[in-house]
Amino acid sequence: MTSGSGLQAGLKNRHLTMIAIGGVIGAGLFVGSSSGIATAGPGILLSYALVGTLVVLVMRMLGEMSAANPTSGSFSAHADRALGRWAGFSIGWLYWFFWVVVLAVEATAGAKILEGWIPAVPQWGWALIVMVVLTATNLVSVGSYGEFEFWFAGIKVVAIGAFIVIGALAVFGVLPGAHTDKAGLGNLTDHGGFLPNGPGAILTGVLLVVFSFMGSEIATLAAGESEDPRRAVTKSTNSIIWRIGVFYLGSIFIVVCLLPWNDPSIKAQGSYVAALDSLGIAHAGQIMNFIVLTSVLSCLNSGLYTASRMAFSLGGRGDAPKAFARTTSRGVPMAAIIASVVFGFVAVFFNYAYPDTVFLFLVNSSGAVALFVWLVICASQLRMRRIIERESPEKLVVRMWLYPYLTWATIALIVFVLGYMLTDTKGESSGRTTVLLSLLVALAVIAVSVVKERVRGGRATAVADTDTDTDTDKVSVS
């Protein structure tokens, strides 16, 4: 089955299910949670709950629009229609930019783990190998991407599920053969209270964990290449509450119950490794490294897929080179994939050659894109709901709760988080630096889109004038 856009419906229901689940579990959960715990203590649970609620609301809005109109461009295509060409162009290219930078970050993270196992191959060599293999996977067919992601996500899901079960048994003192002297619900309040660094640490924790949630929207992009897009979007949208509740809140709850939040091992080893080590589980570090590597490969696989499909959608709408919208006989947008991975390779090069200048700029200038994307989704849904109700109300199979009040509340929360980031001035990757550089890049992209629209409008006017002159000449001759 081939969609009219040239993409093929090669993703099965089991692929979509795992893509939806796996999209919420990024490597950031395993790697980045330790700094959040060190900052907010057990109160980091409130930070995760706050961001998780924000993501649930935004994904509900996106689900409403995508169920009514499933497309590979997802929120970019919706913004195009609801807010104007400039919005679809700008947020589409910003999102693409975000993911090609993520490719470099994740390839480097995976290379570090692999080099630790096989030091004979240099780190840059492993980064190259990982990128080439996953590029080949994406070039074969969307089904091969789906199959890889099914197993990558499956390993992550099983690992976190096992971690929660083993950890819960240890917390309640019923895990045989484990060292549970440090474990217990008392860890939530015994070491300086639930909020040892004060209520303000919850918001600081939000800044540290918000970006680990990016990827929740991948299922809506992938749904366009499934056999039943509307059903796939509806299912992934309705299940996001329990996915975030179990995988984020559930696993972090277990971590802060197994160890005191200020235990030095959390920062030294990483929260999940430290939690497993505290139970005396043999080879916990290597087990966790394997799981983190799987998460990194999953993120790389999905990042390349997502970036290429956004480039494909932009090409189809005339906002990127037309070659991006062409597909192979297998329904693969080869030019879009190759262009995305080439920029990914360039970013990897910058990471090794200029880590503290060019690459730091790339990371900082793409850092706030997640919040920009969520903001655009909210603004698009406010207008798109009215369009759908007017044109085809029967397509509203997913509805945003308490529309429009909850949409406006979500916008206010996102703006508040962005504003709070401006107060963070610590380090080269401070919240203020991230927001200002991301805003600078966003304004540059918007400026390009405005100029492009004016040029396009000028050409259209010229063509219309030419047609009018031709018609006048015909009348004169007759």
Side-chain angles (χ1 to χ4, degrees):
M1 175 182 172
T2 305
S3 66
S5 62
L7 297 175
Q8 292 187 355
L11 292 175
K12 300 175 182 175
N13 285 334
R14 65 183 177 88
H15 293 155
L16 260 295
T17 300
M18 277 303 178
I19 288 169
I21 294 173
V24 198
I25 312 168
L29 174 62
F30 300 109
V31 179
S33 55
S34 55
S35 56
I37 293 171
T39 299
I44 195 65
L45 286 167
L46 297 180
S47 302
Y48 273 103
L50 188 61
V51 179
T53 301
L54 182 61
V55 171
V56 166
L57 294 174
V58 171
M59 289 307 109
R60 186 76 185 182
M61 295 178 220
L62 181 55
E64 176 182 288
M65 295 185 290
S66 295
N69 181 30
T71 169
S72 62
S74 188
F75 53 84
S76 173
H78 303 321
D80 196 308
R81 188 179 179 199
L83 305 177
R85 292 290 297 262
W86 69 270
F89 176 96
S90 304
I91 206 63
W93 276 114
L94 284 172
Y95 190 69
W96 178 87
F97 173 58
F98 170 85
W99 278 111
V100 293
V101 174
V102 166
L103 291 181
V105 173
E106 299 295 341
T108 305
K112 283 181 181 176
I113 296 173
L114 289 165
E115 187 190 29
W117 292 343
I118 308 175
V121 179
Q123 198 178 110
W124 66 265
W126 279 119
L128 185 65
I129 290 168
V130 165
M131 292 274 275
V132 167
V133 169
L134 292 179
T135 301
T137 301
N138 275 264
L139 284 173
V140 171
S141 69
V142 69
S144 65
Y145 154 73
E147 199 62 35
F148 265 75
E149 192 55 27
F150 174 80
W151 291 106
F152 286 153
I155 291 171
K156 289 192 289 186
V157 169
V158 169
I160 291 188
F163 176 82
I164 291 173
V165 171
I166 291 170
L169 292 174
V171 168
F172 292 105
V174 292
L175 184 66
H179 306 307
T180 57
D181 50 309
K182 290 185 177 180
L185 295 175
N187 284 328
L188 294 173
T189 54
D190 287 351
H191 305 276
F194 185 69
L195 295 171
N197 296 325
I202 296 172
L203 290 175
T204 307
V206 165
L207 306 187
L208 294 170
V209 306
V210 66
F211 304 111
S212 66
F213 282 84
M214 193 64 166
S216 310
E217 69 292 329
I218 291 175
T220 63
L221 278 94
E225 293 176 82
S226 67
E227 294 171 351
D228 190 348
R230 188 162 285 117
R231 179 176 175 272
V233 170
T234 304
K235 190 176 177 182
S236 67
T237 302
N238 291 336
S239 65
I240 194 161
I241 297 176
W242 72 260
R243 286 186 275 135
I244 288 175
V246 171
F247 296 122
Y248 276 86
L249 290 176
S251 64
I252 294 295
F253 175 79
I254 294 298
V255 168
V256 294
C257 285
L258 288 177
L259 276 174
W261 70 272
N262 53 0
D263 193 298
S265 63
I266 290 180
K267 207 162 187 179
Q269 299 174 274
S271 48
Y272 288 80
V273 174
L276 288 175
D277 262 343
S278 71
L279 300 178
I281 294 176
H283 310 296
Q286 292 305 321
I287 293 170
M288 211 62 226
N289 272 336
F290 172 73
I291 295 166
V292 171
L293 178 63
T294 303
S295 293
V296 164
L297 294 177
S298 170
C299 195
L300 263 172
N301 195 36
S302 289
L304 182 53
Y305 170 83
T306 306
S308 65
R309 283 348 184 241
M310 186 56 73
F312 169 85
S313 177
L314 288 166
R317 303 199 305 267
D319 290 333
K322 290 181 180 179
F324 286 5
R326 297 193 191 106
T327 58
T328 65
S329 58
R330 293 173 179 264
V332 173
M334 182 182 289
I337 291 174
I338 291 174
S340 300
V341 85
V342 163
F343 275 88
F345 277 128
V346 170
V348 169
F349 167 75
F350 285 140
N351 193 11
Y352 289 107
Y354 310 103
D356 300 323
T357 52
V358 180
F359 188 71
L360 186 64
F361 170 79
L362 291 176
V363 171
N364 285 337
S365 61
S366 64
V369 167
L371 292 167
F372 294 165
V373 167
W374 296 347
L375 206 52
V376 167
I377 289 172
C378 295
S380 300
Q381 191 264 341
L382 280 173
R383 297 194 66 181
M384 189 60 82
R385 166 67 82 90
R386 295 198 293 270
I387 294 171
I388 298 170
E389 285 179 334
R390 183 175 65 249
E391 296 180 358
S392 46
E394 72 283 356
K395 290 184 177 179
L396 276 173
V397 292
V398 175
R399 288 176 178 264
M400 176 58 184
W401 308 296
L402 298 176
Y403 169 83
Y405 309 108
L406 212 44
T407 302
W408 280 112
T410 307
I411 291 173
L413 184 56
I414 295 170
V415 171
F416 174 76
V417 171
L418 284 167
Y420 189 78
M421 286 178 73
L422 291 172
T423 67
D424 174 29
T425 57
K426 296 176 183 176
E428 292 178 319
S429 297
S430 66
R432 178 178 293 180
T433 302
T434 298
V435 170
L436 292 179
L437 286 179
S438 297
L439 200 55
L440 180 67
V441 171
L443 290 173
V445 175
I446 291 171
V448 170
S449 71
V450 171
V451 170
K452 191 173 183 297
E453 276 303 294
R454 286 188 176 178
V455 170
R456 184 182 285 159
R459 285 176 182 167
T461 303
V463 170
D465 290 342
T466 302
D467 290 344
T468 303
D469 291 343
T470 304
D471 291 341
T472 303
D473 290 343
K474 287 179 180 177
V475 170
S476 299
V477 170
S478 61

